Amino acid sequence: MRLYRFFWKLFHIFFSVFFRWQVIGVEHIPKEGPVILCSNHISVLDPPLIGSCFRRKIHYMAKEELFRIPVLSFLIKKFGAFPVKRGVGDRTALRSALQLLEQGKLFGIFPEGTRSKDGRLGKGYTGVGLIVHKSDAPVIPVAIIGSYRLFQPLTVVFGKPIDFYQQRAMSASADTYKLTTEKIMAEIQTLLDRHRL
């Protein structure tokens, strides 16, 4: 935890000094209990950027290839990341996410599964919809707006928790997970449109 706090301070200073950093809606994040953060993905700096906005530790899925790099693997594990095989239904990663939420942790995920090449929001994978239905955790959409160019505006917007009462009342199915994922992506797009410079 000390290492996490050290890098939290380091990145907090970095984003504060080198970017025109603005954080909106952080009050929507509960101070304790399980939470699912769903964000668009535009840079490798997205995880530390979101993590620098508040004190709670975020646990992320990260592509398994990163865990094959010795020093990087050690660091991202300390930061709370766990591996996921992209492009397949990784049940081990799913169980890890659900266990974290059962423990009252904060879980972050990029539903697009990879970084956007043009900055536009892509299609979300239905795995996030499955996680939402398997847990009772509130879902908070997150929008990252900016280009990560030095001294240029960089904004992180946390939306209000999304109400999934109707979806959770539906029977579990691929169609239900798809509808849930689409609703999450629509909320992220709304934040992007509302706050884009």
Side-chain angles (χ1 to χ4, degrees):
M1 198 64 176
R2 287 182 179 178
L3 187 63
Y4 185 90
R5 291 302 182 197
F6 170 78
F7 276 96
W8 183 91
K9 291 179 181 178
L10 191 65
F11 278 114
H12 192 87
I13 293 170
F14 171 74
F15 291 119
S16 298
V17 172
F18 292 103
F19 297 93
R20 289 163 55 192
W21 187 28
Q22 183 180 17
V23 180
I24 300 171
V26 73
E27 68 275 6
H28 297 311
I29 300 174
K31 296 190 184 315
E32 58 184 24
V35 181
I36 303 173
L37 294 180
C38 296
S39 174
N40 62 318
H41 197 11
I42 58 176
S43 168
V44 294
L45 290 174
D46 292 344
L49 174 69
I50 296 173
S52 298
C53 296
F54 50 85
R55 292 281 185 175
R56 286 192 69 179
K57 184 176 182 178
I58 308 178
H59 298 264
Y60 282 105
M61 285 183 181
K63 59 182 181 181
E64 65 172 351
E65 294 86 349
L66 298 178
F67 291 85
R68 299 172 188 164
I69 306 171
V71 176
L72 181 60
S73 175
F74 170 79
L75 288 174
I76 60 178
K77 285 178 182 177
K78 289 293 184 182
F79 297 158
F82 59 94
V84 60
K85 296 177 182 177
R86 297 191 299 173
V88 299
D90 190 338
R91 294 185 178 183
T92 300
L94 171 62
R95 283 195 296 269
S96 296
L98 292 174
Q99 286 173 359
L100 286 166
L101 291 168
E102 287 174 4
Q103 295 166 8
K105 303 294 179 62
L106 198 158
F107 169 61
I109 187 169
F110 301 103
E112 296 164 280
T114 188
R115 283 171 283 155
S116 171
K117 295 180 180 179
D118 58 9
R120 290 183 291 185
L121 187 66
K123 184 178 179 180
Y125 282 92
T126 56
V128 67
L130 191 153
I131 293 171
V132 170
H133 279 267
K134 294 286 185 181
S135 73
D136 291 323
V139 180
I140 295 178
V142 184
I144 300 172
I145 304 168
S147 62
Y148 282 96
R149 292 177 182 170
L150 292 179
F151 308 113
Q152 295 300 307
L154 186 59
T155 304
V156 184
V157 185
F158 297 93
K160 295 180 180 179
I162 306 172
D163 181 7
F164 282 110
Y165 176 79
Q166 290 184 334
Q167 281 85 349
R168 281 173 170 148
M170 297 168 65
S171 60
S173 69
D175 287 340
T176 304
Y177 303 152
K178 182 173 181 289
L179 286 172
T180 299
T181 302
E182 288 175 348
K183 184 171 183 178
I184 291 170
M185 302 310 288
E187 291 290 336
I188 295 173
Q189 186 63 61
T190 296
L191 293 178
L192 290 169
D193 294 340
R194 185 180 301 158
H195 296 277
R196 201 183 299 275
L197 298 176

